[in-house]
């Protein structure tokens, strides 16, 4: 456990405010097609507001005098002197899920891809293991997605997307009980096993699945691979899906990294990677994910995302930065990304993967530096990042 003061300077991203997810509701307009493929990415300087404390108001009191900003003492063993760091010395934090109702000391669940451990983490506390799922982490598999139940306040259930020796699956975790499979038989391959989970705000779960290394699996509705699925908490197709009795919500994924949606649910996004480029898709129910909203030919390794209204934040694990895409009032991508958290424009934590919003101003992020990166002694870590408040975005299209 690392002792923390009762204030929270946090890692800074320049741009829009972070918004909580609401109910899912979609328009039928196509995602922005103008910006694919994307031009070469170049860093752009952004504003650098003062850092408010958690529990304060946007634009309110700054961190106490003397609080570190961009330069802090390097970690010593598992002790990290960066006060944005919530937990250290974990293993490949590929999934995070913020917990509700934690006040000024926010907590999250952190999932380790290779070990299958799920831990509760918060400042000034030791990590507490709540479950361990048996996983096969060869290739890009393992534990890659975490989500709270749509009715978490009542049932305290947690869902995880995992790879086993025979398949990819969704498991349900109840307090004090062994993980229970609720959706099995999602094809498994040497690659294309990553997945993500997101509550849709209507009592169902959205599940992004990889193509198991076979792009043909993603095209047809007969396979669960390469899809966005919509299921209930028992793993059955959710009511209101495009085809009654089918869990398939959209088709055409390869190796998804993250699902996110706008505050009112009018926009739903998924990040993906294929052999030639990284992609961002705006999801429309029943549609093929054939025309991306944005592409990255340089393949920065897109992972978790957050729709912050005026901007979409996308963690880039391979590049070790954050890709911040402007979003128009119509809900399309409005221009090339800005790179932040790259060590020049914002503090870098290396390979960021998972993202999960806390409230309108803050999010949890997990690092996977032990997975092909350059880990420091305190890796892998869970970090709190802050976003500058902005106006507009996130409304209905």
């Amino acid at each position: 456990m690392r002792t923390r003061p009762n204030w929270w300077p946090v890692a800074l991203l320049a741009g829009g405010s972070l918004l909580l997810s609401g109910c899912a509701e979609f328009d039928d307009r196509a995602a922005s097609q103008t910006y694919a493929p994307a031009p070469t990415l170049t860093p752009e300087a952004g504003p650098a507001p003062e850092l408010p404390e958690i529990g304060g108001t946007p634009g309110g009191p700054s961190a106490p005098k003397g609080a570190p900003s961009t330069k802090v003492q390097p970690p010593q063993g598992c002790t990290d002197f960066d006060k944005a760091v919530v937990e250290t010395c974990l293993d490949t934090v590929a999934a995070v899920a913020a917990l509700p109702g934690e006040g000024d000391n926010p907590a999250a669940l952190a999932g380790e891809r290779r070990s299958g451990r799920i831990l509760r983490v918060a400042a000034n506390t030791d990590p507490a293991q709540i479950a361990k799922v048996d996983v096969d982490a060869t290739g890009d598999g393992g534990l890659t997605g975490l989500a709270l139940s749509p009715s978490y306040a009542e049932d305290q259930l947690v869902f995880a997307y995992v790879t086993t020796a025979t398949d990819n699956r969704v498991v349900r975790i109840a307090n004090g009980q062994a993980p229970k499979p609720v959706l099995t038989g999602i094809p498994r391959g040497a690659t294309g096993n990553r997945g993500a989970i997101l509550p849709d705000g209507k009592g169902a779960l959205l599940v992004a699945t990889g193509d198991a290394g076979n792009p043909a699996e993603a095209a047809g509705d007969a396979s669960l691979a390469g899809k966005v699925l919509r299921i209930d908490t028992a793993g059955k197709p959710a009511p209101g899906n495009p085809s009654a009795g089918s869990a398939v919500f959209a088709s055409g994924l390869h190796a998804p990294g993250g699902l996110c949606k706008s505050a009112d649910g009018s926009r739903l996004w998924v990040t993906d990677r294929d052999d030639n480029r990284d992609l961002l898709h705006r999801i429309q129910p029943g549609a093929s994910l054939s025309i991306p909203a944005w592409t990255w030919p340089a393949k920065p390794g897109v992972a978790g995302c957050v729709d912050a209204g005026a901007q979409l934040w996308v963690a880039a694990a391979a590049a070790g930065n954050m890709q911040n895409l402007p979003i128009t009032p119509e809900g399309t991508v409005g221009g090339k990304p800005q790179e932040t958290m790259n060590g020049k424009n914002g503090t870098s934590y290396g390979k960021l993967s998972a993202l999960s919003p806390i409230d309108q101003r803050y999010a949890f992020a997990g690092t996977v530096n032990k997975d092909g990166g350059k880990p420091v002694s305190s890796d892998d870590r869970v970090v709190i990042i802050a976003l500058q408040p902005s106006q507009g975005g996130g409304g209905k299209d």
Side-chain angles (χ1 to χ4, degrees), residues 72-82 88 375-379 381:
V72 295
Q73 181 180 345
Q76 297 179 4
C78 292
T79 300
D80 200 302
F81 300 97
D82 185 337
T88 65
V376 297
S377 66
S378 59
D379 274 324
R381 295 171 283 179

Side-chain angles (χ1 to χ4, degrees), residues 138-374:
T138 55
D140 59 351
L143 193 163
T144 57
L146 274 179
L148 305 183
S149 166
S151 53
Y152 180 78
E154 291 78 33
D155 58 33
Q156 302 290 296
L157 295 175
V158 177
F159 292 82
Y161 190 86
V162 302
T163 308
T164 73
T166 58
D167 67 357
N168 291 293
R169 59 180 59 185
V170 177
V171 299
R172 185 176 66 211
I173 299 158
N175 187 30
Q177 300 180 20
K180 178 181 178 181
V182 295
L183 179 61
T184 62
I186 302 169
R188 176 192 183 280
T191 61
N193 298 301
R194 298 191 315 157
I197 313 180
L198 179 74
D200 77 342
K202 291 185 175 181
L205 292 166
L206 297 167
V207 182
T209 72
D211 66 7
N214 181 4
E217 292 274 357
D221 288 350
S223 172
L224 296 178
K227 306 294 191 298
V228 177
L229 309 175
R230 185 171 177 267
I231 60 173
D232 63 21
T233 55
K236 305 299 182 183
N241 281 357
S243 297
S246 172
V248 176
F249 195 72
S251 304
L253 293 177
H254 302 286
L259 284 163
C260 56
K261 62 182 184 290
S262 59
D264 64 358
S266 64
R267 296 193 298 262
L268 176 64
W269 309 92
V270 62
T271 64
D272 195 16
R273 311 177 195 177
D274 66 19
D275 290 340
N276 302 311
R277 58 187 179 170
D278 288 358
L279 311 99
L280 171 71
H281 292 283
R282 183 169 175 188
I283 303 168
Q284 304 292 345
S288 170
L289 302 173
S290 58
I291 302 176
W294 193 265
T295 66
W296 289 266
K299 301 179 66 174
V302 295
C305 61
V306 172
D307 186 321
Q311 288 185 300
L312 188 80
W313 310 100
V314 178
N321 61 34
M322 196 75 70
Q323 302 280 324
N324 306 328
L325 290 149
I327 303 299
T328 70
E330 294 73 32
T332 61
V333 176
K336 66 181 181 180
Q338 176 191 45
E339 293 183 10
T340 58
M341 299 193 72
N342 57 10
K344 297 179 180 179
N345 189 7
T347 302
S348 174
Y349 295 93
K351 293 166 65 72
L352 290 171
S353 182
L355 296 174
S356 180
I358 300 170
D359 60 18
Q360 294 185 356
R361 301 154 293 159
Y362 300 94
F364 282 104
T367 74
V368 289
N369 289 312
K370 290 180 179 176
D371 199 359
K374 298 179 179 179

Side-chain angles (χ1 to χ4, degrees), residues 85-135:
V85 175
V86 173
E87 195 52 71
T88 65
C89 288
L90 301 179
D91 183 14
T92 57
V93 185
V96 290
L99 292 168
E102 298 293 333
D104 289 350
N105 190 24
L109 300 180
E112 295 178 330
R113 183 181 76 84
R114 297 188 296 194
S115 73
R117 292 197 308 162
I118 302 172
L119 305 107
R120 184 187 186 278
V121 298
N124 302 317
T125 63
D126 292 324
Q129 181 173 310
I130 69 161
K132 189 176 186 300
V133 186
D134 290 334
V135 299

